[in-house]
Amino acid sequence: MFEPEDSRSTLFAEILLPVPIPKLFTYRVPAKLNDHVRTGQRAIVQFGDRKVLTGLIYNVHETPPKDYEAKYILEVLDEFPSVTDVQLKFFQWMADYYMCTMGEVMNAALPAGLKLSSESMVQLHPAFSLEESEHAFSEKEQMLLKRLQHDTLTYSEIAKFLGVKYIYSILKSLTGKNAIVLFEEVKEKYKPRTEKRIRLTAEMNKEEALEELFKTLSSKPKQESVVLKYLQEVPVLHDHANNKTGITKKDLLTDDISESSLHTLIKNNVFEEFEIVVPRFGFEEAHEVPVVLLSEEQQRAQGEIFKSFEQHNITLLHGITGSGKTEIYINLIKKALESDAQVLYLLPEIALTTQIVQRLKKVFGPAMGVYHSKFSDNERVEVWNGVLSGKLKFVTGVRSSVFLPFDNLGLIIIDEEHDASYKQQEPAPRYHARDAALVMAQLHHAKVLLGSATPAVETYYHAEQNKYGLVRLDKRFGDAQLPEIVLADMGEERKRKTIKGEFSGLLLKNIGEALSLKEQVIIFQNRRGYSPMVNCEDCGWVPKCVNCAVSLTYHQFRNAMVCHYCGYREALKSNCPVCTSTRITTVGYGTEKLEEELKLHFPDASVQRMDLDTTRSKTGYDSIIEQFETGQTQVLVGTQMVTKGLDFDKVSLVGVFNADRMMHFPDFRSYERAYQLITQVSGRAGRRDKKGKVVIQTSSPEHPVLTHILHHHYQEFYRREVDDRKQHSYPPFSRLIEITVKHIDKKACRDAAVMLAEQLRTHLQGVRILGPGEPMISKIRNQFLMSVLIKIPRGKSDLVQIKTIIQQHIDQVLKEKIFRNARIICDVDPV
Ligand code: ADP
Ligand code: ZN
Ligand code: ZN
């Protein structure tokens, strides 16, 4: 009845490899691994002739491939799967939905530390001898063979040693002559953090032994004091088990304790040095935090959320800024954790401020992991493994934390769900973390709470249609009131000549008042640098990037003009290269210029700037926040970064620049963006006991979007917006796929786009195809761009089929010889 062990069938594994080829690869499982291979383990396989890659075992079966002999798996890296079944399903969904390969999804999902670097190594063939070989060798070959008598070298080391770029032909010739062998050295990149510590040796960790020791040390006071210090810090006499973890050298060696005495004691077997693995996270203990009692409003909202979850898996919490959403989240997270489910709390990239994380850490301590792109790779591997092993039940993280290996998610909270930074732009997968999290939740049968003061139009629409539950929180916590918002009419002020530099008289007056009351001010301008444009006053020349179709932004602190798309920079010219005029001026203004003007207007105030340029490091951001929090900084000028997540007590005034530019940006979402950004930053004004004030500078004070903002009328804003979307068939009434063709040749770019659009028009029914047209920026990094937009009516069309057809035609265009160097990118649900 039972088959004997050795006649068991041969197993094959489908392996997912990090290559942009949309298929899985079949490998044969070595018999000795038959009992060990499992879906989700990492495996090393040979790919092509010389490459060794790390892949994921996708499934295991008994069917050999039809047309070729499968190669063996070289090694299986994990004892237990690194990736769960649910994750693999999720990867598959993402690849299908966002039109990319599983390999690309895997690449985005796994922290680099879990991928392996493989470097080809070259060594002399063990049976080879240069003197006895019958073959002839070139000079270069001989040089290399001599070197290889002593060393094993990587490809790149050989190229360097021989001073040639392409060594493949040399290596091929040498392999043919049986002179060398190639192999792959695979290194694990992840390194646990270890710490060197000191403890008593096992023989010493006994009372009698210590007594003896002190007798011998009585004439050696320096060594004696080391031992005494140790006993004081590590009370082994109280309990010998304390010796196990010992003490760090740093803690033992204080001023009056010498290192050389310690070394003598180590040499004499009194102490020993050892290493332990220490986690990068989780040292903070959960503090006793004062219990926060939810207000009546918050309790009602929380009750409604629970109730809503009975009918809806997804619920939107629409709560104005300062209404106390975070406390409700904390309660929900606690409840979910109590029922032993895992929790994911998603935050947009910028908003993952120390403030929120610190608050959560105080409540949840080491049970919470933090997953952030600014963390090092080792730190990320640790969170990954923590989730996998079940040690971390709760993770707070940005976009990429949807990839973590949860196996029992009960709740996902998506804070600031409207935020555009949830969407990954480049490279593939171009996914939206909110939408992906909704799918993830479905796979786990988890509940989702979306939170926002200014929900995305799409989200609010689904709530209105009763697809999502909806809970409101319309009052600020405590007695805090919404800020008073006023408009500075720039047209009017220009007439009255009350504008100074870029500042309206109204805003200047308010800043002055706030400063004299020792209150703080936030200035929001969504553009970094000094001036977005430079030009010649005489002939109108504008310096442009040499690689992109954009004008260069002037940065004063670098004294250079910089391209924000490719990083190209050049010095500011004193003469116009066209007409030689010296009248070169800057046009428009960014955060840097506002900072400078503020310092002129208010020389006594301390002004700080927060934008991409001042926050490149992890600590840059934190220290700016801290200085503002402690009142060292009075005025904070910044880009989007100042608009969210910050909760400061003494900010009484917010100034908003360039509302007009936000509103008139040519995109169907520009009104929504403007509404969200301005409302969000306004929310920073006046918390708790004092009503704040917001001044918006605008040349179109009658604009309906501003009117809605002024009166905090989200519903009215939404109504207008959604009607407009319906009329023009934009999301949520359609789905969009944006196809971008890139080519270094302008004509080839256009021709490829035209061909693609024509084919799609012929073969896709029931959709609208717009373009091809030049996108707003028509050249980036020397690649010309053309785009085609596809509008797919919602509900009626077969999305899967449409995507298949699109992909077929893209492949066809790329097969044309003239378009071989084109790249064609699909962005599903572009943001
Ligand atoms: P939101 O995220 O909705 O903008 P927050 O959660 O940041 O609002 O809350 C606003 C302020 O009110 C914070 O300073 C917070 O500490 C405080 N707060 C909210 N709820 C409570 C509560 N139940 N008890 C005490 N303070 C609260
Ligand atoms: Zn000129
Ligand atoms: Zn550029």
Side-chain angles (χ1 to χ4, degrees), residues 567-679:
Y568 168 82
R569 65 169 78 172
E570 61 179 66
L572 186 64
K573 294 197 166 55
S574 45
N575 290 87
C576 171
V578 178
C579 73
T580 71
S581 158
T582 53
R583 303 209 307 155
I584 306 280
T585 52
T586 56
V587 187
Y589 54 92
T591 45
E592 203 184 6
K593 187 170 186 194
L594 293 185
E595 181 191 12
E596 181 187 88
E597 284 192 6
L598 276 166
K599 284 175 176 164
L600 285 176
H601 292 308
F602 305 100
D604 297 331
S606 57
V607 181
Q608 270 261 28
R609 175 160 56 92
M610 183 157 85
D611 55 27
L612 203 62
D613 298 312
T614 59
T615 57
R616 286 197 197 273
S617 71
K618 189 165 145 189
T619 46
Y621 187 84
D622 292 351
S623 77
I624 292 173
I625 300 270
E626 197 197 304
Q627 284 172 33
F628 197 59
E629 209 165 25
T630 53
Q632 282 162 272
T633 307
Q634 288 166 289
V635 186
L636 188 63
V637 189
T639 53
Q640 286 213 33
M641 290 184 188
V642 301
T643 61
K644 48 202 142 184
L646 308 178
D647 179 9
F648 300 114
D649 237 10
K650 292 209 186 64
V651 177
S652 65
L653 176 69
V654 167
V656 179
F657 277 80
N658 239 348
D660 300 344
R661 190 173 154 263
M662 283 188 266
M663 293 188 300
H664 300 312
F665 194 77
D667 182 277
F668 76 93
R669 284 200 179 89
S670 58
Y671 287 0
E672 182 183 355
R673 279 288 133 68
Y675 186 95
Q676 287 163 346
L677 275 175
I678 297 174
T679 303

Side-chain angles (χ1 to χ4, degrees), residues 729-747:
S729 177
Y730 273 115
F733 302 97
S734 67
R735 289 178 189 276
L736 303 181
I737 298 177
E738 186 176 51
I739 305 175
T740 305
V741 180
K742 298 186 179 183
H743 202 291
I744 43 167
D745 181 70
K746 192 170 183 174
K747 185 167 180 313

